[in-house]
Amino acid sequence: MLQGGLVYPSGPGCYYYLPPAVRAMEKLVKVVDGEMQAVGGQKLNMPSLSSAELWRASGRWDGMGPELFRLVDRHDKAYCLAPTHEEAVTELVAAQSNLSYKQLPLRLYQVTRKFRDEPKPRFGLLRSREFYMKDMYTFDASEEAARQTYDLVCDAYCSLFDRLGLPFVKVQAATGSIGGTVSHEFQLPADIGEDRLLLCPNGHFAANVEMLNGERTSCPTCGEKLTQSKGIEVGHTFYLGTKYSSISNAVFCSPKNKPQLAEMGCYGLGITRILAASIEVLSTEDSIRWPSLIAPYQLCFIPPKRGSKEEEEGVTLLERVYDDLAEVLPHLAGDSVLDDRTQLTIGKRLKDANKLGYPYVVIAGKRVCEDPPVFEVWNQNAGEVLFLTKEGVIELLSKVQVP
Amino acid sequence: MLQGGLVYPSGPGCYYYLPPAVRAMEKLVKVVDGEMQAVGGQKLNMPSLSSAELWRASGRWDGMGPELFRLVDRHDKAYCLAPTHEEAVTELVAAQSNLSYKQLPLRLYQVTRKFRDEPKPRFGLLRSREFYMKDMYTFDASEEAARQTYDLVCDAYCSLFDRLGLPFVKVQAATGSIGGTVSHEFQLPADIGEDRLLLCPNGHFAANVEMLNGERTSCPTCGEKLTQSKGIEVGHTFYLGTKYSSISNAVFCSPKNKPQLAEMGCYGLGITRILAASIEVLSTEDSIRWPSLIAPYQLCFIPPKRGSKEEEEGVTLLERVYDDLAEVLPHLAGDSVLDDRTQLTIGKRLKDANKLGYPYVVIAGKRVCEDPPVFEVWNQNAGEVLFLTKEGVIELLSKVQVP
């Protein structure tokens, strides 16, 4: 087994994602896939190498400045490593011959590695130079339809963060280098956050300070004094209009059989950033906590210490729980880890478990010798310790979801 | 819906993978994950940006020549876009403090996008400049253990190709720029293949012509005349010894508490290449065929043409098959497509279905009006057409696996 840890730095802003982080990421991607497909998303995968011509046409080859990683191939043709794919996806849709209004909306998304030459990579995966992003691009036949799509995808984001149990706010945001006319960010309030937010305590108004022209101290709706908060941006949505479709001539055939520019939106979710940010906002001083749904493993079993008086009985009984669980709740089998380093005390192993962040830790402690045997179960995300019989353990765990 | 097709070129050797290709790739990755985890593989994810220092230390910064994509960051630090990760993974393992022989073997793998500046990208995904590869790197405590690992991973590759139903040969191969002393390739025999193979008809000997010193015309074991074949390389395995561990000083603590260099192996599988190669070797002139297990969708339903005399009954009956199937075989629900473009003839839609490659096409044709109704079922990979009642259709499809 590779030793503990979630990521390991390979250089400034670049990381190895270690096995538990990959597990969490794959679970998160499954949950995101579900939400995207529920709003008609089709998953594709676009190249990382994106030609200079394409980015020159949109004005972003110069506009993005030093944040673009640039390179030339063996024939001296220039490329960037794409940090986002508005140009690329629009070119793909423009290449569809005879796209009809009947085929719209198109809602295309991918989950791929993106690149950005950050001036100061920091906070681990929160601001790295290689990161995973889910980016969706939508194409609609009218502004009205595009705005419906916009609301639909925003709702899917809300649903995602709700399912992850992450406290979030959706705030009005600046459109930055992406462009467009309407934009929102999904922010997790956190002291470490780099964004400054202004929030109406009654929920009427929420904005990133960046996007405000001038100062605002009270809610435009109810007049209440706005509160300040810091936030970590985990999602960003843009209504783009025809900014990109007009450059690539991404048109569809209207009901009157006329070519018409598609109305676009784009929707980003920071996949690796959500992982880092959720640990940041959920963890306590003593233990790492994940959104339960995407924890690398759901369960850790800790048998008694070698040589303790509970050893023999405890090992047997814990194995029985493990076996019964595999039979009754087979979806948890691959999500369970047995920490058989019985040369270590239970306390030491519990500490290690807290470093990885299992939502549930099942311990064969002193009370395993009672009749019936009682197990100590740490329900980490609820912050409680329960003493349960085998049936009680299985009952508790039957509610655990694995994506 | 985005129009048909599996990939679309974005530039020389770079492709958009369209939604059906992404589905097939995700299925293939699941099957590969299963095989790798069955031999103790732990999945991680390494950066694409790999520092020049790292590659200079192994001699491959110069050795790889123009095939490496190279770039500098905003601080003028040089990187390549990794085509393979021997250097990176060895550095990671070298950084494990106090790695004990008890923690070995380590079998680490990833499935990520790789980059290679091919002089002549061609054959679509067979030789592209961005591609997905599964690469495993193993670390053992002795040469003997490393050779056992080598055999184990090779067996997992054989199991994978068997499960995919792909005819393959394992041949002795040259070690090329990766190095090491023992190497095999997994080849799919195909006329379009770029490799030339020499095979003993009795299975005693199989080699890539590249790796032979001088000419060989007969089997070294049985003396039989060797036959020639062309092949597409889809996997490559290397026993590396201490070539990389000695550069990065990747050591473990031996039972005698002495630092000792890990014995390494590396194992590549071309993920996008397997997709392209299997279509190449399985398809017929009229229809694309996938290994059933990883076809983008398993099933296409084709209701009668609008205005035909079977229309009313056929649509109702086919929907009933569809609904019953979703109930009895829920794992197929997401793998079924209903082609409701009933303005088109059945023949035209069947032709389109053949362009995507559904293993099964269920048609409500003329015989749907019989009592009991009979459906026309094309079992594409078996190359047969069956006429079955609803129960017969469900019985047939109950054998279909989805990873």
Side-chain angles (χ1 to χ4, degrees):
Chain A
M1 272 291 276
L2 206 61
Q3 277 169 42
L6 295 169
V7 296
Y8 181 81
S10 77
C14 296
Y15 291 87
Y16 298 86
Y17 304 140
L18 300 180
V22 170
R23 286 183 63 94
M25 185 158 89
E26 293 195 339
K27 288 181 177 181
L28 176 57
V29 169
K30 266 195 204 172
V31 179
V32 169
D33 278 339
E35 293 292 343
M36 292 301 102
Q37 285 162 20
V39 295
Q42 291 183 280
K43 194 172 189 178
L44 42 62
N45 188 318
M46 294 186 267
S48 293
L49 293 167
S50 202
S51 77
E53 288 103 294
L54 198 58
W55 288 72
R56 283 208 184 96
S58 70
R60 294 209 288 180
W61 182 257
D62 295 326
M64 294 282 287
E67 291 209 350
L68 273 190
F69 277 112
R70 295 157 208 255
L71 71 161
V72 295
D73 70 7
R74 61 163 77 213
H75 307 296
D76 259 337
K77 196 168 142 50
Y79 293 88
C80 68
L81 295 178
T84 177
H85 285 78
E86 285 77 14
E87 287 85 351
V89 75
T90 311
E91 176 134 300
L92 175 68
V93 170
Q96 294 265 310
S97 56
N98 299 318
L99 186 68
S100 155
Y101 71 97
K102 291 180 199 163
Q103 290 169 268
L104 301 185
L106 281 179
R107 294 171 182 152
L108 307 173
Y109 81 100
Q110 63 176 352
V111 179
T112 54
R113 186 178 287 187
K114 309 292 194 291
F115 299 86
R116 193 183 292 153
D117 197 354
E118 289 284 350
K120 287 183 197 164
R122 56 198 181 281
F123 306 128
L125 299 189
L126 286 181
R127 193 163 285 282
S128 55
R129 302 204 292 176
E130 291 189 28
F131 50 97
Y132 278 81
M133 204 165 91
K134 187 287 301 174
D135 39 333
M136 177 178 259
Y137 305 91
T138 61
F139 298 81
D140 273 283
S142 68
E143 184 176 332
E144 194 195 342
R147 287 183 185 275
Q148 280 171 8
T149 290
Y150 187 87
D151 290 341
L152 196 68
V153 181
C154 283
D155 288 350
Y157 279 20
C158 294
S159 160
L160 173 77
F161 293 116
D162 281 340
R163 286 174 65 196
L164 294 176
L166 290 171
F168 71 96
V169 282
K170 177 184 168 191
V171 305
Q172 298 174 40
T175 53
S177 68
I178 304 275
T181 53
V182 177
S183 178
H184 290 89
E185 286 166 356
F186 290 76
Q187 296 265 359
L188 305 188
D191 288 340
I192 201 191
E194 297 184 278
D195 288 299
R196 288 199 307 133
L197 316 176
L198 279 174
L199 309 171
C200 161
N202 302 320
H204 297 120
F205 179 86
N208 188 319
V209 169
E210 265 178 22
M211 71 85 60
L212 297 175
N213 301 319
E215 215 175 330
R216 174 168 283 289
T217 54
S218 62
C219 174
T221 305
C222 68
E224 193 78 46
K225 189 164 180 289
L226 298 175
T227 60
Q228 286 219 21
S229 166
K230 285 185 170 181
I232 303 172
E233 180 194 336
V234 284
H236 204 154
T237 58
F238 301 83
Y239 169 65
L240 296 171
T242 57
K243 173 176 172 179
Y244 294 92
S245 54
S246 62
I247 296 165
S248 290
N249 198 37
V251 295
F252 63 93
C253 241
S254 75
K256 289 175 184 157
N257 215 16
K258 290 261 155 60
Q260 201 175 312
L261 290 174
E263 294 277 336
M264 290 176 58
C266 77
Y267 308 87
L269 271 183
I271 295 293
T272 31
R273 192 181 258 211
I274 288 174
L275 295 182
S278 21
I279 291 179
E280 183 61 35
V281 301
L282 298 178
S283 297
T284 64
E285 247 179 59
D286 313 318
S287 67
I288 281 191
R289 290 190 190 160
W290 298 87
S292 303
L293 194 55
I294 62 168
Y297 294 91
Q298 288 294 331
L299 275 174
C300 181
F301 289 93
I302 303 184
K305 185 172 187 310
R306 196 179 300 162
S308 67
K309 70 176 190 321
E310 299 84 27
E311 182 182 7
E312 202 171 331
E313 211 161 341
V315 167
T316 313
L317 289 164
L318 201 64
E319 276 174 7
R320 205 169 297 159
V321 179
Y322 190 89
D323 291 345
D324 285 6
L325 204 71
E327 205 181 306
V328 187
L329 306 170
H331 61 285
L332 291 184
D335 256 73
S336 306
V337 170
L338 178 73
D339 188 345
D340 57 3
R341 298 173 301 160
T342 50
Q343 73 277 20
L344 305 178
T345 62
I346 287 180
K348 168 75 178 104
R349 283 176 285 161
L350 182 58
K351 223 176 197 171
D352 281 355
N354 286 340
K355 280 187 209 153
L356 184 67
Y358 298 89
Y360 297 91
V361 182
V362 182
I363 300 169
K366 297 215 178 308
R367 295 186 57 189
V368 79
C369 297
E370 291 180 13
D371 183 21
V374 170
F375 300 91
E376 186 179 326
V377 182
W378 290 61
N379 178 349
Q380 299 289 31
N381 288 31
E384 60 183 13
V385 185
L386 303 163
F387 290 90
L388 300 170
T389 60
K390 187 182 76 176
E391 290 68 29
V393 173
I394 291 177
E395 163 75 19
L396 177 73
L397 298 177
S398 67
K399 284 156 201 145
V400 175
Q401 288 177 27
V402 173
Chain B
M1 274 290 275
L2 206 61
Q3 278 168 40
L6 295 170
V7 296
Y8 181 81
S10 78
C14 295
Y15 291 87
Y16 298 87
Y17 305 141
L18 301 180
V22 170
R23 285 183 63 94
M25 184 157 91
E26 292 193 340
K27 288 182 177 182
L28 176 57
V29 169
K30 266 195 204 170
V31 180
V32 168
D33 278 340
E35 293 291 344
M36 292 301 102
Q37 285 163 18
V39 295
Q42 289 183 280
K43 194 172 189 178
L44 42 63
N45 188 318
M46 295 185 266
S48 293
L49 293 167
S50 202
S51 77
E53 289 103 294
L54 199 57
W55 288 72
R56 284 208 184 94
S58 70
R60 294 208 289 181
W61 183 257
D62 295 325
M64 295 282 287
E67 291 208 350
L68 274 190
F69 278 111
R70 294 157 208 257
L71 71 160
V72 295
D73 70 7
R74 61 163 76 214
H75 307 297
D76 258 337
K77 196 168 142 47
Y79 294 88
C80 68
L81 295 179
T84 178
H85 285 78
E86 285 78 13
E87 287 84 352
V89 76
T90 311
E91 176 133 302
L92 174 68
V93 170
Q96 294 265 310
S97 56
N98 299 319
L99 186 67
S100 156
Y101 71 97
K102 291 181 200 161
Q103 288 169 269
L104 302 185
L106 282 179
R107 295 174 181 149
L108 307 173
Y109 81 100
Q110 62 176 353
V111 179
T112 54
R113 187 176 289 186
K114 309 293 194 290
F115 299 86
R116 192 183 292 153
D117 197 354
E118 289 284 348
K120 288 183 195 162
R122 58 198 181 281
F123 306 128
L125 299 190
L126 286 182
R127 193 163 284 284
S128 55
R129 302 203 294 175
E130 291 189 27
F131 51 96
Y132 278 81
M133 205 165 91
K134 186 286 300 171
D135 39 333
M136 176 178 260
Y137 304 91
T138 61
F139 298 82
D140 273 283
S142 68
E143 185 178 330
E144 194 194 342
R147 286 183 187 273
Q148 280 171 7
T149 291
Y150 188 87
D151 290 341
L152 196 69
V153 181
C154 282
D155 287 350
Y157 279 21
C158 294
S159 160
L160 172 76
F161 293 116
D162 281 339
R163 286 174 66 195
L164 295 175
L166 289 172
F168 72 96
V169 281
K170 178 185 169 192
V171 305
Q172 296 174 41
T175 53
S177 68
I178 304 275
T181 53
V182 176
S183 178
H184 290 89
E185 286 166 356
F186 290 76
Q187 296 266 358
L188 305 189
D191 288 340
I192 202 191
E194 296 185 278
D195 287 298
R196 288 198 307 134
L197 315 176
L198 279 174
L199 309 171
C200 161
N202 302 320
H204 296 120
F205 178 86
N208 189 320
V209 169
E210 263 178 25
M211 71 84 61
L212 297 175
N213 301 318
E215 217 174 325
R216 175 168 282 289
T217 54
S218 61
C219 174
T221 304
C222 68
E224 193 79 48
K225 189 163 180 288
L226 298 174
T227 59
Q228 286 218 20
S229 165
K230 285 185 169 180
I232 304 171
E233 180 194 336
V234 285
H236 205 154
T237 58
F238 301 82
Y239 169 65
L240 297 171
T242 57
K243 174 176 172 179
Y244 294 91
S245 54
S246 62
I247 296 165
S248 289
N249 198 35
V251 294
F252 64 93
C253 243
S254 75
K256 289 174 184 157
N257 215 16
K258 291 261 154 60
Q260 199 176 313
L261 291 174
E263 294 277 335
M264 290 177 58
C266 78
Y267 308 87
L269 271 183
I271 294 294
T272 31
R273 192 181 259 211
I274 288 174
L275 296 181
S278 21
I279 291 179
E280 182 61 36
V281 302
L282 298 177
S283 297
T284 64
E285 246 179 58
D286 313 318
S287 67
I288 281 191
R289 289 191 191 160
W290 298 88
S292 303
L293 194 55
I294 62 168
Y297 293 91
Q298 288 295 331
L299 276 174
C300 181
F301 288 93
I302 303 184
K305 185 171 188 309
R306 195 180 300 160
S308 67
K309 71 178 190 321
E310 300 85 25
E311 182 181 7
E312 202 171 329
E313 212 161 341
V315 167
T316 313
L317 289 166
L318 201 64
E319 276 174 5
R320 206 169 296 158
V321 179
Y322 190 89
D323 291 346
D324 285 6
L325 203 71
E327 206 180 306
V328 187
L329 305 170
H331 61 285
L332 291 184
D335 255 73
S336 306
V337 170
L338 178 73
D339 187 347
D340 58 2
R341 297 173 303 160
T342 52
Q343 72 277 20
L344 304 178
T345 62
I346 286 181
K348 168 77 178 103
R349 282 177 285 161
L350 183 58
K351 223 174 197 172
D352 281 356
N354 286 339
K355 279 188 210 153
L356 184 66
Y358 298 90
Y360 298 91
V361 182
V362 181
I363 300 169
K366 296 214 180 308
R367 295 186 55 189
V368 80
C369 296
E370 292 179 12
D371 183 20
V374 170
F375 301 91
E376 186 179 326
V377 182
W378 291 60
N379 178 348
Q380 299 288 31
N381 287 31
E384 59 183 14
V385 185
L386 303 163
F387 290 89
L388 300 170
T389 60
K390 188 181 76 176
E391 290 69 28
V393 174
I394 291 177
E395 163 75 18
L396 177 73
L397 298 177
S398 67
K399 285 155 201 146
V400 175
Q401 286 178 29
V402 174

